[in-house]
Amino acid sequence: MNEQRPDPEALLRAAVREGRGRLKVFLGAAPGVGKTFEMLSEGAARRAAGTDVVIGIVETHGRPETEARAAGIETVPRKAVAWKGHRLEEMDIDAILARGPQLVLVDELAHTNAPGSRHDKRWQDVDELLAAGIDVFSTLNVQHIESLNDVVASFTRVRVRETLPDRILEEADIEIVDIPPDELIERLKEGKVYIPEEAGRALGHFFSKSNLSALRELALRRAAQAVDAQMLDHLRAHAVGGVWATADRLVVAVSEQSGAPELVRAAKRIADALRAPWTAVHIETARNERFADIDNTRLAGTLQLAAQLGAQVATLPAVSVTEGLMRFLGEARATQLIVGKSVRSRWFELRKGSVVDRLVRETPGVAVHVLPLAAEPPSPAMRRGRGPSRGGSAEAGAAGYLWSLLLAALVTLIGAAIFSVGAITNLGLLYLLPVTFAATRYGLRTGLVTGLACSLAYNFFFMPPLHTFTIENPENILTVLVLLGVAVVSSQMASRVRAQAVLASRSASQNSALAGFAGLLTAVRTRQETAQLVCAEIGRLLGVNTVMLMPHEEALVVESASPTTVHLETLDEAAARWAFDANRPAGRGSDTLTASEWLFHPVTAGGRPRGVFGIANADAGAPIRSDRLPMLLSLLDQAGMALERIALEDEMAGVVQLRERDRLRQALLSSVSHDLRTPLTSILGALGAMSATTPEQEAELSSMRIEAERLNRFVANLLDMARIEAGALRQSVEPVDLADAVAAALHDVRKTLAGNPVRLDLPPDLPFVRVDPQLFHHCLINLLDNAVKHGGTGQPIVIDAREDGDGLVLRIRDAGPGLPDGAGTRIFETFARFEGSDRKGGTGLGLAIVKGFAEAMGLSVVASNRSDRPGAEFALRFGPAQVLRESDMA
C-alpha cells in the first residue's frame, strides 16, 4: 500500500512561514504596464476595508494618475543617505518597523540601495519587514529575475544589473499586470512612461514589439512556474495524492547503459519545448551491487550530464526499478516519463517481464515516452552475476551445491529409517526442507538442482517400483512438480526479501553514518576542529583521501587533510578556487578543470560557500562512485550547517562583547561627566565673580573663562552622548525661526568665534522649522565650534540657508583644509578623529552628538568638502515634515 504522508520538508517550510508577513509581487513584462498603479489601487482597497496601510516607498516618475492614486495613503518619510556629497533617499526600515502597519507598499523590489544603507538590496529590506510580521506589496519587472537575466539579455541586448533571487518569487503571491505590446507602445508614444526624448530611444531599442512580446511570455511562464511550485508544496505538506497536471513536470529514468546519455539529451529537448522543469532519476536496486567500474563510471557520467543540462538529479533506493519509478513519479507529481527500452529476447521478457509495459499499465495520468536503446553485451561482472538479479545475491558455487546435496542425502537417510518402520505415503514432504534451504540460501539455480535431485531420490528410494526411476503411479508426478515449484517460488521470495534486506541495511548504514556524523559535529566549536572532523570522518566512511580548504583573507588555505601528507598541485588549487568562487563542483568528474586528480565540492550554508572540500582516490581512480555521491553531499550539507553555526556563535560572542563594552563606556561617560559637572560649575561661578586690576590679569582671566567654558561644553557633550546612547532624549518640538536660532548660537560661542569673521546668508522669507529648540541649539553650537577649531584662526565662517524642493537646507562652511577622502560618513562616528587632516584633535564627540540630535528630530546631516574653495561643509537638511509653511499656520 502506497500511503500518502505529509512531506517533512514541506511542513518545515510551512512552519517557517508562520509568523512572517505575506509578500505579494505585481509582476510585469516591462516598465509602464501599470504595476505601481495596480499596487496602489489594491492598497487603497485594503485600506478602505480597514487594513492599516502605509507607503514605504513609491516611485511615481511624475505620472499624474499614479501620484493621485498615492495621495490618499499615509507615506512613511524616506531616510536620507549621504554618498559622495550627494543626498540620496531610501526607504526608512526603522521608521516602518516603529510605525508597525499591517501592510506596506514598496515599489521596485530589485532596487539597489545607496551605499551605507543597512542592506544592499531593497528585497533584503522587504525580507526584514516580512520577518517582523508585516505584509508587503511590491512591484517587479521580469528582466530583474536572476534566472532569466541571461535569457532577457540574449534578445534585448540589454543586461540588467539589478536582480533578485528566484526564491523571493517562490515564497510570494504573484499577480500579473499585463497589457498588449501595442497598447504599451502607444502609452510610450504619448509620454506616459518616459519623457519624449527617452521614449524615442526606448522605442528603437528595448521597447520593440518583438522584445515586449517575448518579455510578456516570460512573465506569464514565470508566474505559472511559481504558482505550480506553491501548489506542489501545499500538496506535499497536506499529503494530497494525485498528479495535479496543471503544468508539465518531466522525469527521465537513467541507468548504467551506454545509451542513457541519449535519453537525457532527449529529455532536455522535450523539457525545453514544453518550458517545463525536469528531473533525472536513477533507481538503485540490489543489482547495483554487481556493477563493474565501467558501469559506475557511465552512470556517474550520465547523471553529471543531466545536471549540466539543467536537470535536478536524484537517486532512489528501491526493491525494483518499476516500484521505485512509480514511487518517485507520485512524489514528484510528474506528468511525463521518459524511459529507454533495450532490445531483449522474447524469452527474457517472458521470464522477467517488461518494465516499460508495467509502467504504461500502472501509471495513469502520466505520459510515458519510450525511446529505443541500442543492444549491448553486459559487462563481465553482470554476466557472472546474472542469476542474483532474480535468485539472490549469493548464487551458489561448488559449496552451495555440495551443502544442498548433502542435506538432500541426509533427508533421504532419515526417510529410509522412517520407511523401514512402515510404508508412509507422504515422505515426499521431507524433501521440502533441502529444497527450501537451497532456494532461499543459494538462489534459483541451486534450488532447481536440489529440487531435481530430491525428486530423483524420492522416486528411486520411496516410489514403487523401488530402486528404479520409473514412475508407476502418475499421481507421483505431482510430487516431483511440487518440489520443483517450491524451488522456484522459494528462490523468488528469498530474492525479494534479500533485496529488501540489502536496501534496508544500506539505508540504515547511511542513516547511522549521517546521524553519527551530525552528533560529532555538535561537539566542535572552531572551524579548524570542524575541518579536521569532516576530513577524517568522510575519508573513513568513503575510503578516500580528503582535504578541506577555507578562506583566509583573500586566499584559500588548507585547513585540514586526511592523510596529513596530502599535497595539492597548482592545478588542484585552481580547481578548488574555481569551485569556491562559482559555488559549483570542479575537478575530476565535473565539467571544469577535469585534469585535476581531485574533485572539489563547495561547502555551502545560507546560500554562500563557507569552504571547499576535496576528495581523491588513492589508486588514481574515480574520486567517488556515483552511488556514494548523495551520501557525500548530505555529509557536506551537515558540515556547512556546522560552519554556519560556528560563524553565528562567533558573531554572537562579538555582539555580546560589543554590548558589554558599550555598557561600560556609557557608564564611564555618565560617571565622568557628572563628576566633572559640579566642580566645573563652581569654577565658572568663581571666574565670573573675579575681577582683574591690570590688563595682563584681565587677559589671563578671559583666557581661563574661555577654556573653562570650552571644558564645560566637552562635559555637556559627554552627558549628551550618554543620553543619546541610552535612548533618554526628550523632545519638545515647536516652531523655530532659523535666524533667531543661529543668532542665539552665535551669541553663546561669541568668545570662541573671536577672530573668525562670520558671514550670514539667511533670506528673510525663510519658513519656520519644527524642531526641539534646545537640541537644535546644541547642534548649531557643536557645528560652529567644529568650524572654528578646524577652519583656522582668522578664517571666515559662512552660514547660509535655502529652500530645497519641499524641504530646507542650513549649511555651515569653514575655510580649512577640508575632509579626507571617504570621511563624509565616518566623521560622525563616536570619537572619530582623522590624522593628517583638519579633523585631528578634540574629543570626537561633537559631530556624533550633532548626528544623534539631528536624527532624533527627523533631520539629516551631511558632511562634504566645499565646491568653491578648500574647506568643509556641514548641511542640516529639513524634510517637508519639519518645514512649517504658511498654509500649515493658517
Side-chain angles (χ1 to χ4, degrees):
M1 183 176 64
N2 189 14
E3 182 182 357
Q4 291 287 337
R5 296 183 178 180
D7 183 7
E9 293 187 359
L11 288 174
L12 180 60
R13 288 191 292 270
V16 170
R17 288 193 293 267
E18 290 294 330
R20 284 176 60 89
R22 292 294 301 168
L23 172 63
K24 181 172 183 178
V25 174
F26 294 83
L27 181 65
V33 297
K35 302 179 299 298
T36 303
F37 187 85
E38 182 64 24
M39 177 184 70
L40 290 169
S41 299
E42 187 159 340
R46 293 281 293 272
R47 180 172 177 269
T51 303
D52 184 10
V53 182
V54 301
I55 293 177
I57 188 166
V58 165
E59 303 293 348
T60 63
H61 300 291
R63 299 166 188 163
E65 64 274 14
T66 306
E67 293 175 350
R69 178 61 68 179
I73 305 175
E74 176 187 348
T75 301
V76 177
R78 301 184 186 186
K79 182 177 182 179
V81 179
W83 183 67
K84 293 185 177 180
H86 298 281
R87 179 177 179 269
L88 306 178
E89 291 185 340
E90 296 292 352
M91 182 172 65
D92 194 338
I93 311 174
D94 294 324
I96 296 174
L97 293 174
R99 168 67 173 75
Q102 293 174 285
L103 173 64
V104 59
L105 311 182
V106 180
D107 209 3
E108 299 181 1
L109 187 58
H111 170 77
T112 299
N113 291 330
S117 301
R118 181 185 306 177
H119 300 126
D120 294 335
K121 300 288 186 178
R122 185 168 291 167
W123 63 263
Q124 295 172 311
D125 297 340
V126 168
D127 193 58
E128 184 173 343
L129 296 176
L130 295 173
I134 300 174
D135 293 342
V136 177
F137 284 178
S138 192
T139 62
L140 181 71
N141 287 325
V142 68
Q143 62 264 33
H144 295 288
I145 302 174
E146 180 64 46
S147 64
L148 300 179
N149 188 256
D150 292 336
V151 178
V152 173
S154 66
F155 61 82
T156 63
R157 301 295 187 267
V158 177
R159 181 171 294 278
V160 177
R161 300 300 177 187
E162 293 181 325
T163 61
L164 81 167
D166 288 54
R167 66 173 178 83
I168 303 299
L169 286 185
E170 293 168 2
E171 299 169 357
D173 300 326
I174 298 178
E175 179 176 324
I176 290 290
V177 182
D178 182 49
I179 61 175
D182 291 335
E183 184 176 339
L184 179 57
I185 292 174
E186 190 64 29
R187 283 173 52 85
L188 193 70
K189 291 178 179 178
E190 294 173 356
K192 295 182 179 180
V193 181
Y194 296 127
I195 61 176
E197 294 78 6
E198 293 182 354
R201 290 194 298 269
L203 283 170
H205 297 86
F206 188 86
F207 279 79
S208 66
K209 185 172 182 178
S210 58
N211 284 353
L212 293 177
S213 298
L215 290 169
R216 189 185 186 197
E217 180 182 359
L218 281 178
L220 294 171
R221 287 187 177 276
R222 188 61 186 84
Q225 290 175 7
V227 172
D228 185 62
Q230 292 169 4
M231 180 198 71
L232 291 180
D233 210 43
H234 176 80
L235 296 178
R236 290 165 182 157
H238 294 81
V240 180
V243 175
W244 294 76
T246 56
D248 285 306
R249 294 177 286 275
L250 271 68
V251 171
V252 55
V254 300
S255 67
E256 83 289 353
Q257 296 182 1
S258 60
E262 282 70 24
L263 281 181
V264 170
R265 296 186 183 96
K268 169 64 174 174
R269 292 192 296 270
I270 296 174
D272 286 347
L274 297 175
R275 301 288 180 88
W278 62 295
T279 304
V281 61
H282 170 67
I283 305 302
E284 184 180 334
T285 65
R287 182 171 171 269
N288 288 61
E289 295 292 327
R290 305 191 309 278
F291 280 2
D293 288 341
I294 188 174
D295 297 320
N296 282 315
T297 301
R298 279 200 301 234
L299 177 59
T302 302
L303 293 175
Q304 183 67 31
L305 173 64
Q308 293 173 7
L309 293 178
Q312 293 184 351
V313 176
T315 300
L316 181 69
V319 174
S320 67
V321 172
T322 307
E323 178 185 328
L325 273 178
M326 292 172 61
R327 176 152 52 97
F328 187 83
L329 291 173
E331 293 174 353
R333 264 66 176 194
T335 60
Q336 302 199 35
L337 171 66
I338 302 172
V339 294
K341 184 173 179 61
S342 303
V343 178
R344 303 290 191 184
S345 66
R346 194 67 179 167
W347 171 242
F348 182 92
E349 292 190 357
L350 287 174
R351 288 188 300 117
K352 301 186 177 182
S354 171
V355 172
V356 173
D357 292 343
R358 186 180 173 191
L359 286 171
V360 172
R361 287 195 309 269
E362 300 185 14
T363 54
V366 178
V368 181
H369 301 260
V370 182
L371 305 182
L373 294 179
E376 61 176 15
S379 63
M382 297 298 292
R383 286 198 299 269
R384 288 193 299 271
R386 188 181 295 277
S389 64
R390 303 290 286 182
S393 60
E395 182 62 64
Y401 289 110
L402 177 61
W403 284 109
S404 299
L405 294 177
L406 285 176
L407 182 58
L410 177 61
V411 168
T412 301
L413 292 176
I414 295 174
I418 297 174
F419 190 77
S420 63
V421 176
I424 299 177
T425 58
N426 56 358
L427 280 176
L429 296 177
L430 292 174
Y431 286 102
L432 292 177
L433 294 175
V435 171
T436 304
F437 169 78
T440 56
R441 182 70 177 86
Y442 298 110
L444 177 61
R445 292 181 181 180
T446 307
L448 289 175
V449 171
T450 305
L452 182 60
C454 290
S455 301
L456 293 174
Y458 178 63
N459 181 28
F460 188 81
F461 291 106
F462 304 111
M463 293 175 61
L466 300 178
H467 306 118
T468 67
F469 291 105
T470 302
I471 299 177
E472 186 177 73
N473 186 353
E475 294 180 357
N476 293 327
I477 296 177
L478 182 61
T479 303
V480 176
L481 295 178
V482 167
L483 291 175
L484 294 177
V486 167
V488 173
V489 173
S490 299
S491 64
Q492 296 299 319
M493 293 178 62
S495 172
R496 188 174 185 85
V497 170
R498 253 195 314 274
Q500 292 176 342
V502 168
L503 292 174
S505 175
R506 183 183 305 161
S507 178
S509 175
Q510 180 168 327
N511 291 338
S512 175
L514 291 174
F517 186 67
L520 293 173
L521 285 175
T522 58
V524 297
R525 289 291 178 267
T526 65
R527 295 201 319 169
Q528 185 175 8
E529 290 178 0
T530 303
Q532 292 172 351
L533 175 64
V534 170
C535 288
E537 285 299 305
I538 294 182
R540 179 183 64 83
L541 292 171
L542 302 182
V544 293
N545 293 341
T546 59
V547 64
M548 185 84 166
L549 298 92
M550 291 188 181
H552 288 272
E553 296 180 354
E554 297 297 326
L556 281 177
V557 179
V558 175
E559 196 75 35
S560 182
S562 178
T564 56
T565 56
V566 163
H567 174 70
L568 297 181
E569 303 294 339
T570 303
L571 180 60
D572 303 328
E573 293 177 348
R577 182 80 245 184
W578 192 92
F580 182 83
D581 292 338
N583 201 15
R584 290 174 52 191
R588 187 171 184 179
S590 70
D591 58 349
T592 304
L593 298 174
T594 56
S596 173
E597 291 296 324
W598 291 78
L599 172 62
F600 292 97
H601 276 270
V603 181
T604 60
R608 60 191 183 93
R610 295 282 180 178
V612 177
F613 184 80
I615 57 173
N617 204 318
D619 59 4
I624 187 171
R625 284 169 31 195
S626 61
D627 58 324
R628 309 305 297 274
L629 186 58
M631 183 176 181
L632 172 64
L633 297 179
S634 297
L635 294 171
L636 293 182
D637 286 341
Q638 292 191 9
M641 288 188 289
L643 291 173
E644 179 80 358
R645 171 181 58 81
I646 291 171
L648 291 175
E649 289 176 352
D650 292 342
E651 184 177 343
M652 183 57 65
V655 169
V656 171
Q657 293 177 0
L658 183 61
R659 286 178 178 173
E660 181 63 18
R661 187 165 64 247
D662 286 345
R663 187 187 66 80
L664 291 175
R665 186 180 66 181
Q666 291 176 16
L668 179 62
L669 287 174
S670 180
S671 176
V672 170
S673 58
H674 279 91
D675 290 343
L676 288 176
R677 174 57 63 90
T678 301
L680 264 177
T681 302
S682 301
I683 292 173
L684 285 171
L687 289 174
M690 293 175 64
S691 59
T693 58
T694 64
E696 292 79 7
Q697 290 178 350
E698 181 63 33
E700 292 177 359
L701 188 59
S702 176
S703 176
M704 286 189 291
R705 288 171 180 161
I706 292 174
E707 293 302 318
E709 290 174 354
R710 182 167 174 265
L711 181 58
N712 188 49
R713 285 198 299 272
F714 288 161
V715 173
N717 284 343
L718 289 172
L719 279 172
D720 290 340
M721 183 53 61
R723 290 164 58 202
I724 290 173
E725 295 185 345
L729 286 179
R730 293 182 176 86
Q731 297 188 54
S732 177
V733 178
E734 59 185 66
V736 172
D737 187 344
L738 280 181
D740 293 343
V742 171
L746 290 173
H747 178 270
D748 285 354
V749 293
R750 61 189 182 282
K751 295 180 180 178
T752 304
L753 289 172
N756 291 84
V758 177
R759 182 167 65 87
L760 295 177
D761 184 8
L762 302 176
D765 57 347
L766 278 177
F768 281 53
V769 293
R770 293 188 181 96
V771 293
D772 182 292
Q774 185 176 2
L775 297 183
F776 188 59
H777 185 71
H778 278 286
C779 289
L780 293 177
I781 287 177
N782 279 299
L783 288 175
L784 290 170
D785 187 66
N786 178 79
V788 173
K789 185 186 306 177
H790 303 298
T793 304
Q795 296 296 325
I797 297 173
V798 180
I799 304 175
D800 61 17
R802 58 182 173 83
E803 295 192 52
D804 183 18
D806 293 335
L808 189 148
V809 179
L810 174 67
R811 298 184 301 176
I812 298 178
R813 298 183 287 174
D814 63 44
L819 302 175
D821 291 338
T825 301
R826 292 186 295 122
I827 198 170
F828 292 106
E829 296 174 359
T830 308
F831 302 117
R833 298 166 68 183
F834 297 90
E835 296 294 331
S837 74
D838 71 326
R839 305 296 119 179
K840 178 180 177 181
T843 62
L845 287 175
L847 294 179
I849 290 170
V850 171
K851 181 178 177 63
F853 283 1
E855 291 181 348
M857 293 184 291
L859 313 181
S860 64
V861 57
V862 179
S864 61
N865 285 319
R866 296 177 63 170
S867 58
D868 56 339
R869 57 164 296 170
E873 174 181 302
F874 293 84
L876 284 169
R877 297 183 179 272
F878 302 80
Q882 285 78 41
V883 178
L884 189 64
R885 303 289 179 180
E886 291 183 2
S887 58
D888 299 326
M889 301 174 65

mmCIF file of all heavy atoms in Angstrom, residues 776-790:
data_model
loop_
_atom_site.group_PDB
_atom_site.id
_atom_site.type_symbol
_atom_site.label_atom_id
_atom_site.label_comp_id
_atom_site.label_asym_id
_atom_site.label_seq_id
_atom_site.Cartn_x
_atom_site.Cartn_y
_atom_site.Cartn_z
ATOM 1 N N PHE A 776 18.349 71.548 18.920
ATOM 2 C CA PHE A 776 18.836 72.246 17.731
ATOM 3 C C PHE A 776 19.927 73.249 18.104
ATOM 4 O O PHE A 776 20.904 73.421 17.364
ATOM 5 C CB PHE A 776 17.655 72.954 17.058
ATOM 6 C CG PHE A 776 18.002 73.549 15.721
ATOM 7 C CD1 PHE A 776 18.477 72.761 14.690
ATOM 8 C CD2 PHE A 776 17.855 74.908 15.491
ATOM 9 C CE1 PHE A 776 18.797 73.315 13.461
ATOM 10 C CE2 PHE A 776 18.166 75.470 14.273
ATOM 11 C CZ PHE A 776 18.644 74.669 13.256
ATOM 12 N N HIS A 777 19.777 73.893 19.245
ATOM 13 C CA HIS A 777 20.799 74.824 19.722
ATOM 14 C C HIS A 777 22.125 74.095 19.940
ATOM 15 O O HIS A 777 23.197 74.594 19.554
ATOM 16 C CB HIS A 777 20.318 75.471 21.024
ATOM 17 C CG HIS A 777 21.234 76.543 21.541
ATOM 18 N ND1 HIS A 777 21.369 77.783 20.927
ATOM 19 C CD2 HIS A 777 22.086 76.564 22.610
ATOM 20 C CE1 HIS A 777 22.249 78.515 21.582
ATOM 21 N NE2 HIS A 777 22.694 77.806 22.615
ATOM 22 N N HIS A 778 22.080 72.908 20.544
ATOM 23 C CA HIS A 778 23.299 72.116 20.743
ATOM 24 C C HIS A 778 23.927 71.743 19.400
ATOM 25 O O HIS A 778 25.165 71.749 19.269
ATOM 26 C CB HIS A 778 22.979 70.859 21.540
ATOM 27 C CG HIS A 778 22.915 71.073 23.023
ATOM 28 N ND1 HIS A 778 24.035 71.265 23.791
ATOM 29 C CD2 HIS A 778 21.860 71.129 23.875
ATOM 30 C CE1 HIS A 778 23.686 71.420 25.058
ATOM 31 N NE2 HIS A 778 22.362 71.350 25.135
ATOM 32 N N CYS A 779 23.105 71.387 18.415
ATOM 33 C CA CYS A 779 23.642 71.042 17.087
ATOM 34 C C CYS A 779 24.411 72.233 16.509
ATOM 35 O O CYS A 779 25.536 72.076 16.003
ATOM 36 C CB CYS A 779 22.509 70.640 16.145
ATOM 37 S SG CYS A 779 21.744 69.049 16.508
ATOM 38 N N LEU A 780 23.826 73.424 16.544
ATOM 39 C CA LEU A 780 24.474 74.595 15.968
ATOM 40 C C LEU A 780 25.755 74.948 16.706
ATOM 41 O O LEU A 780 26.781 75.284 16.087
ATOM 42 C CB LEU A 780 23.505 75.788 15.990
ATOM 43 C CG LEU A 780 22.266 75.668 15.086
ATOM 44 C CD1 LEU A 780 21.369 76.886 15.268
ATOM 45 C CD2 LEU A 780 22.676 75.524 13.631
ATOM 46 N N ILE A 781 25.746 74.873 18.031
ATOM 47 C CA ILE A 781 26.948 75.198 18.814
ATOM 48 C C ILE A 781 28.082 74.244 18.465
ATOM 49 O O ILE A 781 29.236 74.668 18.273
ATOM 50 C CB ILE A 781 26.623 75.155 20.322
ATOM 51 C CG1 ILE A 781 25.786 76.375 20.715
ATOM 52 C CG2 ILE A 781 27.898 75.095 21.141
ATOM 53 C CD1 ILE A 781 25.370 76.382 22.160
ATOM 54 N N ASN A 782 27.779 72.946 18.374
ATOM 55 C CA ASN A 782 28.832 71.986 18.048
ATOM 56 C C ASN A 782 29.354 72.169 16.634
ATOM 57 O O ASN A 782 30.550 72.028 16.373
ATOM 58 C CB ASN A 782 28.317 70.556 18.239
ATOM 59 C CG ASN A 782 28.350 70.108 19.688
ATOM 60 O OD1 ASN A 782 29.407 70.057 20.314
ATOM 61 N ND2 ASN A 782 27.191 69.795 20.246
ATOM 62 N N LEU A 783 28.485 72.499 15.693
ATOM 63 C CA LEU A 783 28.942 72.739 14.326
ATOM 64 C C LEU A 783 29.787 74.014 14.248
ATOM 65 O O LEU A 783 30.810 74.048 13.534
ATOM 66 C CB LEU A 783 27.741 72.841 13.384
ATOM 67 C CG LEU A 783 27.000 71.523 13.080
ATOM 68 C CD1 LEU A 783 25.761 71.795 12.232
ATOM 69 C CD2 LEU A 783 27.912 70.528 12.378
ATOM 70 N N LEU A 784 29.403 75.064 14.949
ATOM 71 C CA LEU A 784 30.202 76.289 14.963
ATOM 72 C C LEU A 784 31.544 76.056 15.653
ATOM 73 O O LEU A 784 32.588 76.537 15.188
ATOM 74 C CB LEU A 784 29.430 77.407 15.669
ATOM 75 C CG LEU A 784 28.210 77.954 14.908
ATOM 76 C CD1 LEU A 784 27.398 78.869 15.807
ATOM 77 C CD2 LEU A 784 28.672 78.692 13.648
ATOM 78 N N ASP A 785 31.523 75.326 16.756
ATOM 79 C CA ASP A 785 32.766 75.016 17.451
ATOM 80 C C ASP A 785 33.698 74.209 16.561
ATOM 81 O O ASP A 785 34.913 74.430 16.533
ATOM 82 C CB ASP A 785 32.450 74.252 18.737
ATOM 83 C CG ASP A 785 33.690 74.046 19.589
ATOM 84 O OD1 ASP A 785 34.247 75.044 20.083
ATOM 85 O OD2 ASP A 785 34.099 72.891 19.754
ATOM 86 N N ASN A 786 33.131 73.299 15.798
ATOM 87 C CA ASN A 786 33.929 72.493 14.867
ATOM 88 C C ASN A 786 34.521 73.370 13.770
ATOM 89 O O ASN A 786 35.681 73.197 13.372
ATOM 90 C CB ASN A 786 33.045 71.399 14.262
ATOM 91 C CG ASN A 786 33.787 70.544 13.258
ATOM 92 O OD1 ASN A 786 34.537 69.646 13.621
ATOM 93 N ND2 ASN A 786 33.576 70.808 11.977
ATOM 94 N N ALA A 787 33.727 74.330 13.250
ATOM 95 C CA ALA A 787 34.217 75.218 12.188
ATOM 96 C C ALA A 787 35.366 76.093 12.673
ATOM 97 O O ALA A 787 36.337 76.326 11.942
ATOM 98 C CB ALA A 787 33.062 76.083 11.668
ATOM 99 N N VAL A 788 35.294 76.584 13.935
ATOM 100 C CA VAL A 788 36.380 77.403 14.482
ATOM 101 C C VAL A 788 37.628 76.562 14.691
ATOM 102 O O VAL A 788 38.752 76.950 14.359
ATOM 103 C CB VAL A 788 35.930 78.053 15.804
ATOM 104 C CG1 VAL A 788 37.100 78.756 16.477
ATOM 105 C CG2 VAL A 788 34.806 79.039 15.551
ATOM 106 N N LYS A 789 37.418 75.382 15.246
ATOM 107 C CA LYS A 789 38.551 74.526 15.615
ATOM 108 C C LYS A 789 39.337 74.071 14.394
ATOM 109 O O LYS A 789 40.568 74.042 14.393
ATOM 110 C CB LYS A 789 38.035 73.319 16.386
ATOM 111 C CG LYS A 789 39.119 72.411 16.932
ATOM 112 C CD LYS A 789 38.520 71.153 17.548
ATOM 113 C CE LYS A 789 37.482 71.509 18.592
ATOM 114 N NZ LYS A 789 36.839 70.313 19.162
ATOM 115 N N HIS A 790 38.632 73.728 13.327
ATOM 116 C CA HIS A 790 39.304 73.131 12.176
ATOM 117 C C HIS A 790 39.393 74.063 10.973
ATOM 118 O O HIS A 790 40.035 73.721 9.990
ATOM 119 C CB HIS A 790 38.582 71.839 11.771
ATOM 120 C CG HIS A 790 38.490 70.829 12.877
ATOM 121 N ND1 HIS A 790 39.599 70.268 13.449
ATOM 122 C CD2 HIS A 790 37.411 70.312 13.530
ATOM 123 C CE1 HIS A 790 39.216 69.414 14.396
ATOM 124 N NE2 HIS A 790 37.895 69.435 14.474
#
